[in-house]
Protein backbone atom coordinates (compact mmCIF):
# COMPACT_ATOMS: atom_id res chain seq x y z
CA UNK A 1 0.00 0.00 0.00
CA UNK A 2 1.53 3.31 -1.11
CA UNK A 3 2.14 6.41 0.90
CA UNK A 4 -0.74 8.83 1.70
CA UNK A 5 -3.36 6.19 0.85
CA UNK A 6 -6.49 6.27 2.91
CA UNK A 7 -8.16 3.21 4.30
CA UNK A 8 -11.54 4.24 2.94
CA UNK A 9 -10.16 4.53 -0.63
CA UNK A 10 -8.51 1.14 -0.31
CA UNK A 11 -11.78 -0.50 0.80
CA UNK A 12 -13.66 1.16 -2.09
CA UNK A 13 -11.04 0.15 -4.67
CA UNK A 14 -10.82 -3.45 -3.54
CA UNK A 15 -14.61 -3.78 -3.30
CA UNK A 16 -14.59 -5.30 0.14
CA UNK A 17 -18.14 -5.69 1.41
CA UNK A 18 -17.61 -4.82 5.03
CA UNK A 19 -18.13 -1.85 7.19
CA UNK A 20 -14.92 0.12 7.63
CA UNK A 21 -13.67 -0.04 11.18
CA UNK A 22 -11.21 2.57 12.34
CA UNK A 23 -11.40 5.31 9.71
CA UNK A 24 -8.98 8.18 9.90
CA UNK A 25 -10.03 11.78 10.00
CA UNK A 26 -9.67 13.74 6.79
CA UNK A 27 -6.22 15.22 6.33
CA UNK A 28 -4.35 12.62 8.43
CA UNK A 29 -1.85 10.08 7.25
CA UNK A 30 -2.67 6.42 7.63
CA UNK A 31 0.47 5.78 9.70
CA UNK A 32 0.67 9.03 11.73
CA UNK A 33 -1.86 11.09 13.57
CA UNK A 34 -1.92 14.88 13.71
CA UNK A 35 0.38 15.03 16.73
CA UNK A 36 3.08 12.92 15.10
CA UNK A 37 2.83 14.87 11.84
CA UNK A 38 3.31 18.14 13.69
CA UNK A 39 6.35 16.73 15.48
CA UNK A 40 7.92 15.54 12.20
CA UNK A 41 7.28 18.91 10.55
CA UNK A 42 8.90 20.62 13.53
CA UNK A 43 12.05 18.54 13.12
CA UNK A 44 12.13 19.13 9.35
CA UNK A 45 11.55 22.86 9.57
CA UNK A 46 13.99 23.38 12.43
CA UNK A 47 17.07 22.89 10.25
CA UNK A 48 18.83 25.56 8.28
CA UNK A 49 19.11 25.39 4.47
CA UNK A 50 22.52 25.42 2.82
CA UNK A 51 23.64 26.05 -0.77
CA UNK A 52 26.21 24.09 -2.73
CA UNK A 53 29.05 26.10 -1.21
CA UNK A 54 27.90 25.30 2.29
CA UNK A 55 26.62 28.75 3.18
CA UNK A 56 23.35 29.22 5.02
CA UNK A 57 20.67 30.36 2.63
CA UNK A 58 17.80 30.27 5.12
CA UNK A 59 18.15 30.31 8.87
CA UNK A 60 16.64 27.68 11.07
CA UNK A 61 13.30 28.35 12.70
CA UNK A 62 14.82 29.13 16.11
CA UNK A 63 17.97 30.90 14.96
CA UNK A 64 18.73 34.51 14.14
CA UNK A 65 21.72 36.47 12.86
CA UNK A 66 21.57 39.01 15.66
CA UNK A 67 24.52 39.16 18.00
CA UNK A 68 23.37 38.15 21.53
CA UNK A 69 24.02 40.39 24.51
CA UNK A 70 26.76 38.94 26.73
CA UNK A 71 25.57 40.81 29.81
CA UNK A 72 23.18 39.11 32.22
CA UNK A 73 20.17 41.19 33.09
CA UNK A 74 20.48 42.39 36.71
CA UNK A 75 17.33 40.86 38.04
CA UNK A 76 16.70 39.82 41.65
CA UNK A 77 14.85 36.75 40.46
CA UNK A 78 18.21 35.11 39.71
CA UNK A 79 18.81 34.96 43.48
CA UNK A 80 15.44 33.71 44.69
CA UNK A 81 16.87 30.46 46.15
CA UNK A 82 19.45 32.13 48.36
CA UNK A 83 19.01 32.69 52.10
CA UNK A 84 20.72 35.17 54.37
CA UNK A 85 21.29 34.40 58.06
CA UNK A 86 22.94 36.45 60.76
CA UNK A 87 25.93 35.19 62.75
CA UNK A 88 23.98 35.02 66.02
CA UNK A 89 21.23 32.94 64.44
CA UNK A 90 23.84 30.66 62.84
CA UNK A 91 25.55 30.13 66.21
CA UNK A 92 22.24 29.34 67.86
CA UNK A 93 21.40 26.92 65.05
CA UNK A 94 24.75 25.17 65.49
CA UNK A 95 24.19 24.73 69.22
CA UNK A 96 20.70 23.30 68.65
CA UNK A 97 22.04 20.95 65.99
CA UNK A 98 24.81 19.76 68.30
CA UNK A 99 22.33 19.02 71.08
CA UNK A 100 20.10 17.09 68.66
CA UNK A 101 23.01 15.04 67.32
CA UNK A 102 24.40 14.19 70.77
CA UNK A 103 21.00 13.13 72.12
CA UNK A 104 20.58 9.37 71.44
CA UNK A 105 16.78 9.66 71.42
CA UNK A 106 16.54 12.40 68.77
CA UNK A 107 16.91 11.77 65.05
CA UNK A 108 17.75 14.42 62.48
CA UNK A 109 15.70 13.86 59.33
CA UNK A 110 16.14 15.36 55.85
CA UNK A 111 19.81 16.20 56.26
CA UNK A 112 20.09 17.02 52.54
CA UNK A 113 17.83 20.06 53.09
CA UNK A 114 20.07 21.47 55.83
CA UNK A 115 23.39 23.23 55.07
CA UNK A 116 25.48 20.72 57.00
CA UNK A 117 28.78 22.05 55.62
CA UNK A 118 27.92 25.49 57.01
CA UNK A 119 26.75 24.16 60.38
CA UNK A 120 29.61 21.71 60.94
CA UNK A 121 32.77 23.75 60.85
CA UNK A 122 36.05 22.03 60.17
CA UNK A 123 38.12 22.51 63.31
CA UNK A 124 41.37 21.28 61.70
CA UNK A 125 43.64 24.09 60.50
CA UNK A 126 45.18 23.36 57.09
CA UNK A 127 48.94 23.19 57.06
CA UNK A 128 50.60 26.00 55.15
CA UNK A 129 53.27 24.72 52.76
CA UNK A 130 55.32 27.81 52.04
CA UNK A 131 58.19 26.08 50.24
CA UNK A 132 55.82 24.60 47.65
CA UNK A 133 54.81 28.06 46.43
CA UNK A 134 57.93 30.16 47.10
CA UNK A 135 61.63 29.40 46.65
CA UNK A 136 63.69 28.79 49.79
CA UNK A 137 66.16 31.64 49.31
CA UNK A 138 63.31 34.16 49.05
CA UNK A 139 61.52 32.70 52.06
CA UNK A 140 64.33 32.14 54.58
CA UNK A 141 67.76 33.67 54.96
CA UNK A 142 69.16 37.15 54.28
CA UNK A 143 67.32 37.48 50.96
CA UNK A 144 63.89 36.70 52.46
CA UNK A 145 61.02 38.76 51.18
CA UNK A 146 58.48 37.70 53.76
CA UNK A 147 57.94 38.20 57.47
CA UNK A 148 59.53 36.00 60.05
CA UNK A 149 57.59 32.72 60.37
CA UNK A 150 55.84 31.88 63.63
CA UNK A 151 57.64 29.16 65.55
CA UNK A 152 56.17 26.88 68.19
CA UNK A 153 59.03 27.59 70.59
CA UNK A 154 60.45 30.94 71.55
CA UNK A 155 63.74 29.68 73.02
CA UNK A 156 66.18 26.79 72.82
CA UNK A 157 65.14 25.54 76.27
CA UNK A 158 61.50 25.20 75.18
CA UNK A 159 62.61 23.37 72.04
CA UNK A 160 64.69 20.92 74.10
CA UNK A 161 61.79 20.35 76.54
CA UNK A 162 59.35 19.70 73.68
CA UNK A 163 61.76 17.22 72.05
CA UNK A 164 62.22 15.41 75.37
CA UNK A 165 58.45 15.07 75.84
CA UNK A 166 58.04 13.66 72.33
CA UNK A 167 60.87 11.17 72.91
CA UNK A 168 59.31 10.04 76.20
CA UNK A 169 55.91 9.56 74.58
CA UNK A 170 57.50 7.54 71.77
CA UNK A 171 59.34 5.27 74.20
CA UNK A 172 56.16 4.65 76.21
CA UNK A 173 54.30 3.75 73.04
CA UNK A 174 57.04 1.31 71.99
CA UNK A 175 57.07 -0.26 75.45
CA UNK A 176 53.27 -0.70 75.33
CA UNK A 177 53.57 -2.32 71.91
CA UNK A 178 56.23 -4.69 73.26
CA UNK A 179 54.12 -5.62 76.28
CA UNK A 180 51.16 -6.60 74.10
CA UNK A 181 52.52 -10.10 73.49
CA UNK A 182 53.94 -10.61 76.99
CA UNK A 183 52.39 -13.20 79.25
CA UNK A 184 51.82 -11.42 82.55
CA UNK A 185 51.69 -14.66 84.53
CA UNK A 186 54.94 -16.38 83.71
CA UNK A 187 57.00 -13.39 82.56
CA UNK A 188 57.72 -14.86 79.14
CA UNK A 189 57.33 -12.61 76.10
CA UNK A 190 56.52 -14.36 72.83
CA UNK A 191 57.94 -12.86 69.65
CA UNK A 192 55.28 -14.38 67.42
CA UNK A 193 51.63 -14.34 68.43
CA UNK A 194 49.56 -17.46 67.98
CA UNK A 195 47.57 -17.30 64.75
CA UNK A 196 44.40 -18.44 66.51
CA UNK A 197 44.16 -15.07 68.29
CA UNK A 198 43.88 -13.25 64.93
CA UNK A 199 40.47 -14.75 64.17
CA UNK A 200 37.78 -12.28 63.24
CA UNK A 201 40.28 -9.79 61.81
CA UNK A 202 40.72 -11.16 58.29
CA UNK A 203 39.98 -9.13 55.20
CA UNK A 204 37.07 -11.41 54.32
CA UNK A 205 35.36 -10.75 57.66
CA UNK A 206 35.81 -6.99 57.34
CA UNK A 207 34.46 -7.08 53.78
CA UNK A 208 31.35 -8.81 55.10
CA UNK A 209 31.03 -6.15 57.81
CA UNK A 210 31.22 -3.27 55.33
CA UNK A 211 28.64 -4.99 53.12
CA UNK A 212 26.25 -5.13 56.08
CA UNK A 213 26.94 -1.48 57.02
CA UNK A 214 26.37 -0.26 53.47
CA UNK A 215 23.15 -2.27 53.09
CA UNK A 216 21.62 -1.35 56.47
CA UNK A 217 19.56 1.63 57.52
CA UNK A 218 19.65 0.64 61.22
CA UNK A 219 22.51 -1.19 62.95
CA UNK A 220 22.01 -3.30 66.09
CA UNK A 221 25.26 -3.76 67.99
CA UNK A 222 24.86 -6.88 70.14
CA UNK A 223 26.81 -6.73 73.42
CA UNK A 224 27.46 -9.37 76.07
CA UNK A 225 25.82 -8.24 79.30
CA UNK A 226 28.62 -9.82 81.32
CA UNK A 227 31.22 -7.49 79.75
CA UNK A 228 29.48 -4.76 77.69
CA UNK A 229 32.46 -2.43 77.36
CA UNK A 230 34.81 -5.26 76.43
CA UNK A 231 32.54 -6.47 73.61
CA UNK A 232 31.87 -3.01 72.21
CA UNK A 233 33.23 -2.06 68.77
CA UNK A 234 34.44 1.51 69.23
CA UNK A 235 36.11 1.63 65.81
CA UNK A 236 32.83 0.79 64.05
CA UNK A 237 31.01 3.52 66.01
CA UNK A 238 33.63 6.10 65.03
CA UNK A 239 33.40 5.00 61.40
CA UNK A 240 29.62 5.44 61.41
CA UNK A 241 29.81 8.90 62.98
CA UNK A 242 32.41 9.99 60.45
CA UNK A 243 31.30 8.31 57.21
CA UNK A 244 27.58 7.52 57.68
CA UNK A 245 26.00 9.81 60.29
CA UNK A 246 22.55 9.22 58.74
CA UNK A 247 22.54 5.55 59.84
CA UNK A 248 21.03 4.72 63.24
CA UNK A 249 22.83 2.69 65.92
CA UNK A 250 21.07 0.73 68.70
CA UNK A 251 22.81 -1.24 71.47
CA UNK A 252 21.27 -4.63 72.37
CA UNK A 253 22.44 -5.87 75.77
CA UNK A 254 22.14 -9.63 75.26
CA UNK A 255 22.51 -12.47 77.81
CA UNK A 256 21.04 -10.49 80.68
CA UNK A 257 19.91 -13.79 82.20
CA UNK A 258 23.56 -14.37 83.20
CA UNK A 259 23.89 -11.20 85.33
CA UNK A 260 21.90 -9.77 88.27
CA UNK A 261 18.93 -7.55 87.51
CA UNK A 262 20.54 -4.50 89.11
CA UNK A 263 23.66 -4.85 86.96
CA UNK A 264 21.61 -5.17 83.75
CA UNK A 265 19.55 -2.11 84.69
CA UNK A 266 22.68 -0.10 85.54
CA UNK A 267 24.38 -0.94 82.24
CA UNK A 268 21.18 -0.12 80.31
CA UNK A 269 21.01 3.29 81.99
CA UNK A 270 24.70 4.05 81.43
CA UNK A 271 24.85 2.93 77.79
CA UNK A 272 21.52 4.66 77.08
CA UNK A 273 23.25 8.03 77.44
CA UNK A 274 25.12 7.40 74.17
CA UNK A 275 22.80 5.19 72.09
CA UNK A 276 19.31 3.71 72.55
CA UNK A 277 19.91 0.57 74.63
CA UNK A 278 17.60 -2.39 75.11
CA UNK A 279 18.09 -5.23 77.59
CA UNK A 280 17.51 -8.52 75.79
CA UNK A 281 17.40 -12.23 76.50
CA UNK A 282 17.57 -14.35 73.35
CA UNK A 283 15.23 -17.31 73.68
CA UNK A 284 12.64 -18.67 71.28
CA UNK A 285 10.37 -19.93 74.07
CA UNK A 286 10.95 -17.37 76.86
CA UNK A 287 12.43 -14.11 75.49
CA UNK A 288 12.82 -10.76 77.21
CA UNK A 289 12.91 -7.41 75.45
CA UNK A 290 11.50 -8.76 72.19
CA UNK A 291 8.44 -6.47 72.18
CA UNK A 292 10.53 -3.36 72.92
CA UNK A 293 12.97 -4.16 70.13
CA UNK A 294 10.23 -4.81 67.56
CA UNK A 295 8.47 -1.60 68.60
CA UNK A 296 11.72 0.33 68.15
CA UNK A 297 12.28 -1.17 64.69
CA UNK A 298 8.74 -0.22 63.69
CA UNK A 299 9.42 3.36 64.76
CA UNK A 300 12.53 3.42 62.57
CA UNK A 301 10.45 1.99 59.73
CA UNK A 302 7.94 4.82 60.12
CA UNK A 303 10.78 7.34 60.01
CA UNK A 304 11.84 5.98 56.60
CA UNK A 305 8.33 6.06 55.16
CA UNK A 306 9.72 7.02 51.75
CA UNK A 307 11.28 3.55 51.41
CA UNK A 308 9.42 0.32 50.73
CA UNK A 309 11.40 -1.48 53.43
CA UNK A 310 14.34 -0.91 55.76
CA UNK A 311 17.28 -3.20 56.47
CA UNK A 312 18.50 -3.84 60.01
CA UNK A 313 22.04 -5.19 60.35
CA UNK A 314 23.33 -7.00 63.44
CA UNK A 315 27.03 -6.56 64.22
CA UNK A 316 29.24 -7.36 67.20
CA UNK A 317 31.87 -9.66 68.60
CA UNK A 318 31.79 -13.41 67.88
CA UNK A 319 29.61 -15.46 70.22
CA UNK A 320 27.66 -12.36 71.32
CA UNK A 321 24.33 -13.84 70.18
CA UNK A 322 23.54 -12.06 66.89
CA UNK A 323 21.99 -15.11 65.23
CA UNK A 324 20.11 -15.94 68.44
CA UNK A 325 18.54 -12.47 68.44
CA UNK A 326 17.30 -13.03 64.88
CA UNK A 327 15.86 -16.43 65.80
CA UNK A 328 14.13 -14.85 68.80
CA UNK A 329 12.55 -12.13 66.68
CA UNK A 330 11.38 -14.67 64.09
CA UNK A 331 10.28 -17.13 66.82
CA UNK A 332 11.86 -20.00 64.92
CA UNK A 333 15.30 -21.19 63.91
CA UNK A 334 16.23 -19.36 60.71
CA UNK A 335 19.96 -18.88 61.45
CA UNK A 336 22.41 -21.52 62.62
CA UNK A 337 23.55 -20.92 66.18
CA UNK A 338 26.22 -22.56 68.32
CA UNK A 339 27.93 -21.78 71.65
CA UNK A 340 31.24 -21.41 69.78
CA UNK A 341 32.54 -18.38 67.86
CA UNK A 342 32.66 -18.28 64.08
CA UNK A 343 29.49 -20.23 63.33
CA UNK A 344 28.17 -17.53 60.94
CA UNK A 345 30.49 -17.43 57.93
CA UNK A 346 28.76 -15.00 55.54
CA UNK A 347 26.06 -12.34 55.75
CA UNK A 348 22.48 -13.37 55.07
CA UNK A 349 19.11 -11.63 54.68
CA UNK A 350 16.18 -12.66 56.88
CA UNK A 351 12.69 -11.24 56.44
CA UNK A 352 11.19 -10.13 59.76
CA UNK A 353 8.01 -8.52 58.41
CA UNK A 354 6.78 -6.81 55.28
CA UNK A 355 8.78 -3.61 55.79
CA UNK A 356 11.69 -4.81 57.94
CA UNK A 357 14.53 -7.10 56.87
CA UNK A 358 17.31 -8.39 59.14
CA UNK A 359 20.93 -8.94 58.06
CA UNK A 360 23.09 -11.39 60.00
CA UNK A 361 26.81 -10.59 59.99
CA UNK A 362 29.83 -12.69 61.00
CA UNK A 363 31.50 -11.67 64.24
CA UNK A 364 34.31 -9.14 64.00
CA UNK A 365 37.16 -8.44 66.41
CA UNK A 366 38.49 -4.87 66.14
CA UNK A 367 42.27 -4.80 66.70
CA UNK A 368 43.15 -3.30 70.06
CA UNK A 369 46.49 -2.76 71.74
CA UNK A 370 44.96 -3.19 75.21
CA UNK A 371 43.49 -6.67 74.61
CA UNK A 372 45.80 -9.51 75.58
CA UNK A 373 45.47 -13.13 74.50
CA UNK A 374 43.64 -13.93 77.73
CA UNK A 375 41.14 -11.13 77.15
CA UNK A 376 40.39 -12.35 73.62
CA UNK A 377 40.00 -15.93 74.81
CA UNK A 378 37.65 -15.07 77.68
CA UNK A 379 35.54 -12.80 75.46
CA UNK A 380 34.62 -15.86 73.43
CA UNK A 381 36.54 -14.84 70.32
CA UNK A 382 38.67 -18.00 70.11
CA UNK A 383 37.55 -21.60 70.09
CA UNK A 384 38.93 -23.27 73.17
CA UNK A 385 39.74 -26.57 71.44
CA UNK A 386 42.22 -24.76 69.17
CA UNK A 387 44.21 -23.16 72.01
CA UNK A 388 47.63 -24.75 72.39
CA UNK A 389 48.23 -24.02 76.10
CA UNK A 390 44.82 -23.69 77.82
CA UNK A 391 46.03 -24.20 81.40
CA UNK A 392 47.97 -20.90 81.21
CA UNK A 393 44.68 -18.94 81.20
CA UNK A 394 43.13 -20.57 84.29
CA UNK A 395 44.64 -18.00 86.70
CA UNK A 396 42.73 -15.27 84.87
CA UNK A 397 39.51 -17.25 85.27
CA UNK A 398 40.16 -17.73 88.99
CA UNK A 399 40.79 -13.99 89.42
CA UNK A 400 37.52 -13.04 87.70
CA UNK A 401 35.28 -15.51 89.52
CA UNK A 402 34.51 -15.79 93.21
CA UNK A 403 35.82 -18.86 94.96
CA UNK A 404 32.42 -19.64 96.47
CA UNK A 405 30.87 -19.93 93.01
CA UNK A 406 33.66 -22.21 91.76
CA UNK A 407 33.29 -24.43 94.84
CA UNK A 408 29.54 -24.68 94.31
CA UNK A 409 29.90 -25.39 90.59
CA UNK A 410 32.60 -28.11 90.75
CA UNK A 411 32.04 -29.29 94.35
CA UNK A 412 35.71 -28.99 95.31
CA UNK A 413 37.46 -26.70 97.78
CA UNK A 414 40.79 -25.94 99.38
CA UNK A 415 43.04 -25.12 96.39
CA UNK A 416 45.83 -22.56 96.65
CA UNK A 417 46.78 -21.95 93.01
CA UNK A 418 45.62 -22.81 89.50
CA UNK A 419 47.70 -26.00 89.21
CA UNK A 420 46.23 -27.42 92.39
CA UNK A 421 42.74 -26.42 91.22
CA UNK A 422 43.20 -28.31 87.94
CA UNK A 423 44.65 -31.36 89.72
CA UNK A 424 41.76 -31.59 92.17
CA UNK A 425 39.23 -31.17 89.37
CA UNK A 426 40.94 -33.82 87.23
CA UNK A 427 41.01 -36.36 90.05
CA UNK A 428 37.36 -35.69 90.87
CA UNK A 429 36.30 -36.21 87.25
CA UNK A 430 38.65 -39.10 86.55
CA UNK A 431 40.59 -37.24 83.85
CA UNK A 432 43.98 -38.87 84.41
CA UNK A 433 46.86 -39.70 82.11
CA UNK A 434 49.25 -42.62 82.16
CA UNK A 435 50.83 -42.98 85.60
CA UNK A 436 47.96 -41.26 87.41
CA UNK A 437 48.93 -37.75 86.34
CA UNK A 438 46.17 -35.17 85.94
CA UNK A 439 45.18 -34.22 82.40
CA UNK A 440 45.40 -30.48 83.02
CA UNK A 441 44.93 -29.49 79.37
CA UNK A 442 41.58 -31.28 79.04
CA UNK A 443 40.33 -29.98 82.39
CA UNK A 444 41.44 -26.43 81.53
CA UNK A 445 39.46 -26.56 78.27
CA UNK A 446 36.40 -27.72 80.19
CA UNK A 447 36.73 -24.83 82.67
CA UNK A 448 37.17 -22.29 79.88
CA UNK A 449 34.09 -23.60 78.07
CA UNK A 450 32.07 -23.39 81.30
CA UNK A 451 33.31 -19.83 81.82
CA UNK A 452 32.27 -18.64 78.37
CA UNK A 453 28.94 -20.48 78.25
CA UNK A 454 27.69 -19.07 81.56
CA UNK A 455 28.01 -22.11 83.80
CA UNK A 456 30.47 -20.22 86.02
CA UNK A 457 28.95 -16.92 87.25
CA UNK A 458 30.94 -13.77 86.46
CA UNK A 459 30.37 -10.26 85.19
CA UNK A 460 32.02 -6.84 84.96
CA UNK A 461 30.15 -4.19 86.90
CA UNK A 462 29.81 -0.53 85.93
CA UNK A 463 32.47 0.46 88.45
CA UNK A 464 35.36 2.30 86.81
CA UNK A 465 33.44 3.09 83.63
CA UNK A 466 34.91 6.58 83.45
CA UNK A 467 38.42 5.23 82.84
CA UNK A 468 39.71 4.23 79.42
CA UNK A 469 38.94 0.59 80.07
CA UNK A 470 36.77 -0.84 82.88
CA UNK A 471 38.59 -2.63 85.66
CA UNK A 472 38.42 -6.39 85.46
CA UNK A 473 39.75 -7.27 88.87
CA UNK A 474 37.88 -9.51 91.27
CA UNK A 475 37.23 -6.65 93.73
CA UNK A 476 34.69 -5.21 91.26
CA UNK A 477 32.26 -7.86 92.36
CA UNK A 478 31.11 -6.65 95.76
CA UNK A 479 28.92 -8.36 98.26
CA UNK A 480 25.99 -6.12 97.31
CA UNK A 481 26.40 -7.10 93.63
CA UNK A 482 27.05 -10.80 93.92
CA UNK A 483 26.95 -12.51 90.49
CA UNK A 484 25.29 -15.78 89.71
CA UNK A 485 23.94 -17.72 86.72
CA UNK A 486 20.38 -18.59 85.82
CA UNK A 487 20.88 -22.30 86.39
CA UNK A 488 22.45 -21.92 89.84
CA UNK A 489 20.47 -19.05 91.37
CA UNK A 490 19.40 -19.57 94.95
CA UNK A 491 16.63 -17.94 96.92
CA UNK A 492 18.87 -15.44 98.67
CA UNK A 493 20.52 -14.43 95.37
CA UNK A 494 19.05 -12.96 92.23
CA UNK A 495 16.70 -15.05 90.10
CA UNK A 496 17.38 -13.48 86.72
CA UNK A 497 15.57 -10.78 84.75
CA UNK A 498 11.87 -10.90 85.28
CA UNK A 499 9.16 -9.15 87.26
CA UNK A 500 11.36 -7.73 89.98
CA UNK A 501 10.21 -5.53 92.82
CA UNK A 502 11.15 -2.15 91.41
CA UNK A 503 11.01 -3.11 87.74
CA UNK A 504 14.17 -1.10 87.02
CA UNK A 505 15.35 -3.23 84.09
CA UNK A 506 11.92 -3.31 82.52
CA UNK A 507 11.52 0.45 82.89
CA UNK A 508 14.96 1.04 81.41
CA UNK A 509 14.24 -1.21 78.45
CA UNK A 510 10.86 0.43 77.87
CA UNK A 511 12.32 3.91 78.05
CA UNK A 512 15.08 2.94 75.62
CA UNK A 513 12.47 2.00 73.04
CA UNK A 514 11.03 5.53 72.83
CA UNK A 515 12.51 7.61 70.02
CA UNK A 516 11.83 11.32 69.72
CA UNK A 517 11.69 12.46 66.10
CA UNK A 518 12.93 15.91 65.08
CA UNK A 519 12.98 17.27 61.57
Amino acid sequence: MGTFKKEKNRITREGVNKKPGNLRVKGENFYRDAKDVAKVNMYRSGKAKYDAAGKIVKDAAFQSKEVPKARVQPDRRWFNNTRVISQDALTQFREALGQAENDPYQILLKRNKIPMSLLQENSTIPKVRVIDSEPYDKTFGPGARRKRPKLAFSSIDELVAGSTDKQTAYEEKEEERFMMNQDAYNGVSTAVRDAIFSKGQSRRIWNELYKVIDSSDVLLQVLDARDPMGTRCRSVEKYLKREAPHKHMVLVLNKIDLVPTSIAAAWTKILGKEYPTIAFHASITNPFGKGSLIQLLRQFSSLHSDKKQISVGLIGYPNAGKSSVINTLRKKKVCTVAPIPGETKVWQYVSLMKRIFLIDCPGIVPPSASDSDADLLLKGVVRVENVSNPEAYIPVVLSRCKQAHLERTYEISGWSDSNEFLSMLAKKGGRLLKGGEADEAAVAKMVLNDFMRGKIPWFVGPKGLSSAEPARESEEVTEEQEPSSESQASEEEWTGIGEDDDGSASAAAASAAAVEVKE
Side-chain angles (χ1 to χ4, degrees):
M1 184 170 57
T3 312
F4 300 109
K5 297 295 183 180
K6 305 298 185 290
E7 185 181 7
K8 186 176 181 180
N9 296 337
R10 180 181 60 82
I11 294 174
T12 305
R13 183 177 65 254
E14 294 179 358
V16 180
N17 297 327
K18 68 176 184 179
K19 185 178 180 181
N22 189 14
L23 294 180
R24 298 288 179 176
V25 182
K26 182 180 179 180
E28 291 186 358
N29 191 286
F30 180 74
Y31 294 104
R32 297 189 181 102
D33 54 9
K35 187 176 181 180
D36 294 337
V37 171
K39 187 183 296 183
V40 172
N41 292 335
M42 180 186 67
Y43 290 143
R44 288 177 179 174
S45 63
K47 298 179 181 178
K49 292 184 179 181
Y50 300 88
D51 58 2
K55 296 182 179 180
I56 298 178
V57 179
K58 184 179 179 181
D59 296 331
F62 304 102
Q63 290 182 352
S64 65
K65 295 182 179 179
E66 297 179 359
V67 179
K69 295 181 180 179
R71 181 172 177 270
V72 179
Q73 180 183 0
D75 195 343
R76 188 174 180 83
R77 289 176 295 178
W78 292 106
F79 307 99
N80 278 345
N81 292 332
T82 59
R83 297 291 184 269
V84 180
I85 186 172
S86 62
Q87 189 65 31
D88 297 337
L90 183 62
T91 304
Q92 187 177 4
F93 199 2
R94 284 174 181 167
E95 294 177 355
L97 179 67
Q99 294 176 1
E101 286 188 337
N102 295 329
D103 191 354
Y105 299 103
Q106 291 183 355
I107 296 173
L108 187 64
L109 299 179
K110 300 180 181 179
R111 302 175 66 95
N112 55 351
K113 294 187 178 181
I114 302 177
M116 300 301 296
S117 59
L118 183 63
L119 297 174
Q120 296 176 348
E121 287 185 330
N122 189 8
S123 59
T124 59
I125 302 175
K127 187 177 181 180
V128 179
R129 300 182 180 274
V130 183
I131 307 300
D132 296 345
S133 58
E134 300 179 9
Y136 185 83
D137 55 348
K138 295 182 180 180
T139 306
F140 303 100
R145 296 184 179 180
R146 63 188 301 271
K147 295 181 179 180
R148 182 179 179 182
K150 295 181 180 180
L151 301 177
F153 307 101
S154 59
S155 62
I156 299 297
D157 297 336
E158 293 183 4
L159 179 62
V160 172
S163 301
T164 305
D165 294 340
K166 290 184 178 180
Q167 180 67 22
T168 305
Y170 175 77
E171 292 177 356
E172 292 177 356
K173 187 176 181 180
E174 287 296 321
E175 184 179 359
E176 182 181 357
R177 186 180 303 175
F178 173 75
M179 294 296 291
M180 279 179 56
N181 297 328
Q182 185 175 4
D183 194 346
Y185 302 100
N186 52 18
V188 178
S189 62
T190 56
V192 180
R193 196 177 190 180
D194 196 354
I196 192 64
F197 292 101
S198 299
K199 295 297 182 180
Q201 301 179 5
S202 62
R203 180 176 297 179
R204 183 191 71 84
I205 295 296
W206 284 98
N207 287 338
E208 298 291 325
L209 171 67
Y210 286 119
K211 288 179 188 178
V212 173
I213 293 178
D214 294 340
S215 305
S216 303
D217 301 306
V218 182
L219 288 168
L220 302 181
Q221 185 176 176
V222 183
L223 307 179
D224 194 337
R226 296 173 293 180
D227 188 9
M229 303 305 294
T231 56
R232 189 172 174 181
C233 305
R234 291 284 190 178
S235 58
V236 177
E237 296 177 6
K238 293 180 180 179
Y239 172 79
L240 288 177
K241 287 184 177 180
R242 184 180 67 254
E243 301 294 338
H246 60 280
K247 296 183 182 292
H248 313 293
M249 170 76 77
V250 178
L251 301 181
V252 178
L253 200 63
N254 194 21
K255 301 182 181 180
I256 60 171
D257 56 318
L258 301 178
V259 297
T261 307
S262 59
I263 298 299
W267 277 121
T268 304
K269 184 177 180 180
I270 293 172
L271 297 175
K273 297 179 181 179
E274 301 182 39
Y275 293 100
T277 307
I278 292 182
F280 199 85
H281 169 42
S283 174
I284 296 179
T285 57
N286 187 23
F288 178 82
K290 176 181 175 181
S292 301
L293 184 56
I294 291 179
Q295 180 185 2
L296 183 60
L297 296 181
R298 283 177 174 169
Q299 292 184 22
F300 282 121
S301 177
S302 63
L303 291 180
H304 298 275
S305 57
D306 55 332
K307 299 182 179 179
K308 292 184 179 180
Q309 64 273 337
I310 65 169
S311 299
V312 181
L314 284 89
I315 60 175
Y317 268 73
N319 204 24
K322 299 179 290 296
S323 301
S324 301
V325 172
I326 294 179
N327 292 341
T328 303
L329 295 178
R330 283 298 308 271
K331 207 174 181 180
K332 64 179 180 179
K333 185 177 180 181
V334 293
C335 298
T336 56
V337 295
I340 55 176
E343 183 66 20
T344 304
K345 301 296 189 299
V346 295
W347 69 317
Q348 53 182 338
Y349 262 93
V350 177
S351 176
L352 178 61
M353 53 187 66
K354 186 177 180 180
R355 299 202 65 234
I356 300 176
F357 287 87
L358 304 176
I359 308 177
D360 193 10
C361 178
I364 51 122
V365 183
S368 176
S370 59
D371 287 342
S372 62
D373 293 347
D375 293 333
L376 294 177
L377 177 62
L378 298 183
K379 284 180 183 180
V381 174
V382 183
R383 296 193 179 185
V384 177
E385 58 269 16
N386 297 332
V387 179
S388 57
N389 190 18
E391 56 270 14
Y393 306 99
I394 299 301
V396 191
V397 176
L398 297 181
S399 64
R400 294 193 184 186
C401 301
K402 297 189 69 173
Q403 185 174 357
H405 296 152
L406 293 172
E407 292 177 353
R408 186 181 59 186
T409 302
Y410 296 111
E411 298 180 354
I412 58 174
S413 60
W415 65 85
S416 58
D417 56 359
S418 61
N419 294 329
E420 187 176 357
F421 171 76
L422 293 177
S423 299
M424 296 174 61
L425 195 58
K427 292 179 181 179
K428 180 180 180 300
R431 293 176 177 261
L432 303 176
L433 298 175
K434 187 176 181 180
E437 296 182 359
D439 190 359
E440 295 185 355
V443 176
K445 290 182 180 180
M446 180 190 70
V447 174
L448 292 175
N449 280 323
D450 294 343
F451 180 85
M452 290 186 293
R453 298 181 185 184
K455 188 175 180 181
I456 303 176
W458 72 278
F459 67 90
V460 176
K463 179 182 178 181
L465 188 62
S466 59
S467 59
E469 184 180 0
R472 287 181 171 83
E473 300 298 329
S474 58
E475 57 264 15
E476 284 185 357
V477 182
T478 59
E479 293 295 328
E480 293 80 13
Q481 299 176 348
E482 186 179 10
S484 179
S485 69
E486 185 183 31
S487 59
Q488 299 170 348
S490 58
E491 295 181 357
E492 60 272 14
E493 294 179 337
W494 61 281
T495 57
I497 294 293
E499 297 180 356
D500 47 350
D501 296 335
D502 54 352
S504 55
S506 303
S511 62
V515 177
E516 182 179 352
V517 181
K518 268 200 174 184
E519 295 190 9

